[in-house]
Structure formats: C-alpha cells, structure tokens
C-alpha cells in the first residue's frame, strides 16, 4: 500500500488555492492549509472596496466554503510563525505540523523601501483591513470638512495623495476622483466635494511603466481629464503627519496612500535560503528551493528567474499557474529530469482608469478606452472566485454605472472580537 504524503500549504491566496484545488480529494495526499485570514481575497478589486464601490463580501470568500468539499484537506486559520527546515515542521498557534512537502504561498506585504516611519502616516492597500481603513478615512474626511469652518483645514482634508503610478495607484486615483467629483457631490451642503484635489505621484518618468508607452500616455491624459494632478519624476523625500515633501514642494494632506511597492511576506525572511532585495526566495525551474527540494515557493513570495532576463512579475496569473504546476509535479511523482520546468504563459496586462476607460495589452495587441474597459470588466468578473461574488459584483457595477452612485459608503465603527 502506498503511504500518503503530507503537503502543508501556507497561504490560501491565488497560488495556494490552486495547489489545494489540484490535490483535492486525491487519495495519495493529505493536505494541511494554514492561512492567517479566514478568506480568499480577490486583491485586484481591493481599490473598489477602498472607494466604496464594492463591499468586502463581494471580493472575498470564506476559505472553508471552498475546502468543505475536499475530504483530504484540513484548514487552520492561524499565522505560521516558524518553519523548521531541518525537522520539516511548521509552527502556528500552539501546534506543530510535519510535512513531506511544503508549499510557501504567503504572498507579499507593503514595502516602504527602508523608510519604515512612513507607515505611520500613510495607508497601504494589501488586504481588506487596509481597504476598509482607506474607505473610512476618505468618507470621514468629507464629513470632517463639512463640519470644519476653517478653509485651510478643509483644503488639507480634501487633498488626497497617492504615491506610486503603477496599476494600483492609477486605479485608486481614478476612483477617488470619480467618488469626490461626481458620486457624492450632491450629498454635501457646505463643502463642494468637486474641489477635492487628487494628486498621483510617481518617481519614474511615466505611469504604468510595465505597459507600452502609448498606454501610459493615454492613462495620464484620461486621469488629467478627470481632474487628477499627476507628478512624474517626483520621488518622495519625506512624509509626516502634515503631508508629504517632494524636491520642489510640500503637499499638505490627511490622506496619503502608499501604492509604491511590495516585498515578500515576513515569514520568508526567516528562512536560511537565498533571497532577493524584496525578500523573495530564489527558486529553481521547478519552483523549489535548491537546497531543500521538498520546499516549493510560488507567487509573490518567490523570485522565479529561471532562464529569464528578469524575475516573473508579482501578478495573480503567475501565482495561479505556479500553484497548478507545483501540484501537478507532486501528482506525477516522476523523475524531475523528465519533466519540463515551469513556463509562464503571459496573458497580458490591464488597468482601469475609471468609468468607461481602461488600458489592456496582450502581446502586441493593445486596447484603450471603452473596449479596454469592457475587457477589464469581463476578465475581473471571470477570475472572481465564487458564483455569488461574481453576481454581486456585476450587480453593484451595473447599479453604479446606471445611477452614478457607490453603494458601500459606510463609515465602520471599530469592532472588538471580545
Ligand atoms: C491592490 C492590489 C491590486 C492588484 N491588482 C492586480 C491585478 O489587477 N492583476 C493581477 O494579476 N494581480 C494584481 N495584484 C497582485 C496579485 O494580487 C498578487 O500577485 C497575488 O495575490 C499573489 O498571489 P499569492 O498566492 O502569491 O499571494 P496572496 O494571494 O497574497 O496570498 C497569500 C496568502 O498567504 C497568507 N499568509 C501570509 N503570511 C502568512 C503566514 N505567516 N501564515 C499564514 N498565512 C499567511 C495571507 O493571509 C494570504 O491569504 C494586485 C495586488 C494588490 C495588493
């Protein structure tokens, strides 16, 4: 009789979930999943929760509702705080779990490039808590501005600064401009929310640097049409409670959003293996650690450069394809010399600018404007996990499109679990 192998998967995000699904109900494997949250999160739509277009439950699904169908999968909600690579054991809560194979799919966290003190004065966007904090801050700033009689306080409250001109920064800037200049304009009597200033700051020479320059130019034009001020070649010098400082100016703001960088989640830093500057573990062509071939690292936690001029990007298709690849390796149980190394199938890049405008590129095909936007809507709907989430997201989008309203404009009070 063949002995069952135990696979421990840390992280049930884009990559981890594919490993779990591929090994599900397989008689040769026991799968133990550990995730510090109780949900699988569709991060590409986090910015819509942050700007009150969608509710948290539209973009997250309880992980147990997925694993309930998989009899060989045991799920723990806990943060893994130690991985012992000598004894093949992971520790979380007061438990220890032995593994035959370990899959590290722990994703990334916000990186301040060594300026940790900036964290205190900015909002990151990496999980639901971050998105709800931004939503609360934006909605509260309008309320506080309506209450304040002081013009300079009002100006500071209605100044929104977004640092980082990648897809997340662009999407946030477009969405905050739409919220303040259109959606909530009729809701206030004293302030004019259309006077809200949204500034998008990028250290490099163009927005969306991973896209073709024509799409970067289109994005800049469309954001400016929506009233967003764009500052290129403008690295941030410092950030404090008053706002931010650039080489040539200071911008006062109560709402500074940091969308400029990510690094691997903390647990990878603890491991005694080679990492890149962003803390990502260097893996071989099979997504394994060279010294420990029973440890696989996938998605945002990995630096996969095998045969490439630069590492694969931190995007969901990389994580999903690597998740399926690793699980299929385990299922094949064959001599690795005969198996092809991982090859990424690049499905292209997309970013939305706002209502009816997006940019998309698939190899040499480029789309912008309305058709790019329709493509963006379609792709983001089909990749949402769970039928209910697809339907509720679609309904919210149709409602917002027709009514010019955003349905999730709630300022949440603090909730204590005890
Ligand atoms: C705002 C935003 C917008 C994005 N937009 C896009 C987009 O439009 N298109 C695109 O392709 N990609 C986008 N991405 C990137 C994409 O979300 C990531 O590349 C993808 O999530 C990586 O998948 P992963 O499995 O590596 O990690 P994740 O999906 O992040 O999953 C990691 C999981 O590990 C868990 N975890 C971490 N540490 C521990 C620990 N110590 N113990 C237990 N559990 C742990 C976390 O709770 C999480 O569930 C976006 C990301 C963000 C933040």
């Amino acid at each position: 009789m063949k002995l069952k192998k135990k696979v421990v998967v840390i992280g049930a995000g884009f990559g981890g979930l594919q490993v779990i699904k591929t090994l599900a109900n397989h008689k040769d494997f026991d799968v133990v999943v550990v995730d510090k949250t109780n949900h699988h999160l569709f991060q590409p739509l986090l910015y819509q929760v942050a700007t009150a277009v969608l509710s948290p439950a539209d973009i997250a699904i309880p992980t147990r509702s997925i694993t309930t169908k998989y009899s060989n999968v045991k799920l723990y909600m806990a943060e893994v705080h130690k991985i012992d690579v000598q004894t093949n054991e992971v520790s979380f809560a007061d438990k220890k779990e032995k593994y035959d194979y370990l899959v590290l799919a722990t994703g990334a966290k916000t990186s301040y490039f060594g300026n940790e003190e900036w964290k205190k004065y900015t909002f990151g966007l990496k999980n639901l808590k971050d998105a709800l904090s931004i939503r609360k801050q934006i909605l509260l700033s309008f309320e506080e501005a309506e209450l304040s009689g002081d013009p300079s306080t009002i100006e500071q409250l209605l100044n929104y600064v977004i640092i980082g001109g990648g897809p997340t920064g662009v999407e946030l800037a477009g969405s905050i401009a739409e919220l303040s200049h259109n959606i909530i304009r009729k809701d206030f009597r004293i302030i004019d929310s259309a006077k809200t200033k949204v500034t998008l700051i990028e250290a490099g020479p163009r927005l969306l640097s991973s896209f073709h320059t024509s799409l970067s130019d289109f994005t800049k034009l469309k954001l400016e049409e929506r009233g967003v001020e764009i500052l290129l070649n403008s690295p941030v010098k410092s950030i404090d409670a008053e706002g931010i400082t650039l080489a040539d100016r200071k911008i006062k703001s109560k709402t500074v959003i940091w969308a400029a960088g990510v690094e691997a989640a903390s647990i990878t830093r603890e491991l005694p293996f080679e990492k890149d500057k962003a803390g990502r573990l260097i893996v071989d062509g099979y997504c394994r650690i060279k010294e420990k071939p029973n440890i696989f690292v996938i998605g945002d936690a990995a630096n996969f450069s095998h045969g490439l001029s630069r590492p694969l990007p931190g995007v969901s298709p990389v994580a999903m394809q690597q998740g399926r690849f690793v699980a299929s390796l385990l299922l094949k149980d064959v001599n690795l010399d005969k198996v092809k190394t991982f090859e990424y199938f690049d499905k292209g890049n997309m970013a939305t600018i706002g209502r009816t405008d997006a940019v998309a590129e698939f190899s040499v095909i480029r789309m912008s404007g309305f058709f790019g936007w329709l493509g963006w809507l379609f792709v983001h709907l089909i990749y949402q996990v769970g039928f209910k989430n697809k339907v509720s997201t679609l309904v919210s989008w149709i409602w917002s499109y027709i009514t010019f309203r955003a349905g999730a404009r709630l300022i949440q009070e603090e909730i204590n679990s005890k």
Side-chain angles (χ1 to χ4, degrees), residues 10-16 34-37 39 41 43-44 46-47 78-81 105-108 125-126 168 171 265 267 298-301 314-317 319 350 380:
I10 312 179
F14 278 98
V34 193
D35 196 298
K36 61 184 176 183
T37 70
H39 50 263
L41 178 64
Q43 292 173 28
L46 265 177
Y47 84 94
E79 177 157 5
V80 171
H81 53 82
T106 44
L125 184 60
K126 202 63 195 86
T168 301
E171 291 176 342
I267 190 80
I298 58 175
D300 287 3
V315 290
S316 53
M350 297 188 131
H380 283 72

Side-chain angles (χ1 to χ4, degrees), residues 314-381:
V315 290
S316 53
V318 170
M320 293 168 81
Q321 290 177 32
Q322 289 182 330
R324 287 193 290 268
F325 172 84
V326 163
S328 70
L329 277 187
L330 297 176
L331 286 174
K332 278 182 192 143
D333 195 18
V334 288
N335 184 348
L336 279 183
D337 296 341
K338 296 187 185 140
V339 180
K340 270 177 74 180
T341 51
F342 174 72
E343 265 175 46
Y344 174 51
F345 175 60
D346 187 354
K347 294 182 183 165
N349 277 327
M350 297 188 131
T352 178
I353 301 159
R355 194 183 174 81
T356 70
D357 275 318
V359 288
E361 60 185 4
F362 315 94
S363 183
V364 290
I365 302 166
R366 286 179 211 117
M367 284 199 282
S368 55
F370 186 65
F371 289 107
W373 185 68
L374 284 184
W376 182 92
L377 291 179
F378 177 72
V379 167
H380 283 72
L381 262 191

Side-chain angles (χ1 to χ4, degrees), residues 300-320:
D300 287 3
N303 173 319
F304 185 101
S305 316
H306 185 79
L308 305 168
S309 54
R310 57 184 175 156
L312 289 177
V315 290
S316 53
V318 170
M320 293 168 81

Side-chain angles (χ1 to χ4, degrees), residues 161-228:
V161 174
I162 299 133
I163 303 167
T168 301
V170 163
E171 291 176 342
L172 272 168
S175 202
I176 295 175
E178 222 147 71
L179 179 76
S180 48
H181 297 166
N182 300 314
I183 294 171
I184 60 161
R185 199 167 173 197
K186 291 189 193 139
D187 295 357
F188 292 90
R189 299 289 168 266
I190 300 167
I191 55 160
D192 179 2
S193 69
K195 292 198 175 132
T196 296
K197 197 162 164 215
V198 182
T199 309
L200 177 60
I201 295 172
E202 166 57 40
R206 64 185 177 104
L207 300 176
L208 301 180
S209 61
S210 58
F211 289 63
H212 189 266
T213 45
S214 61
L215 299 182
S216 300
D217 295 344
F218 178 85
T219 302
K220 181 167 180 287
L221 180 78
K222 289 292 166 185
L223 281 177
E224 283 170 344
E225 280 175 12
R226 285 168 166 81
V228 177

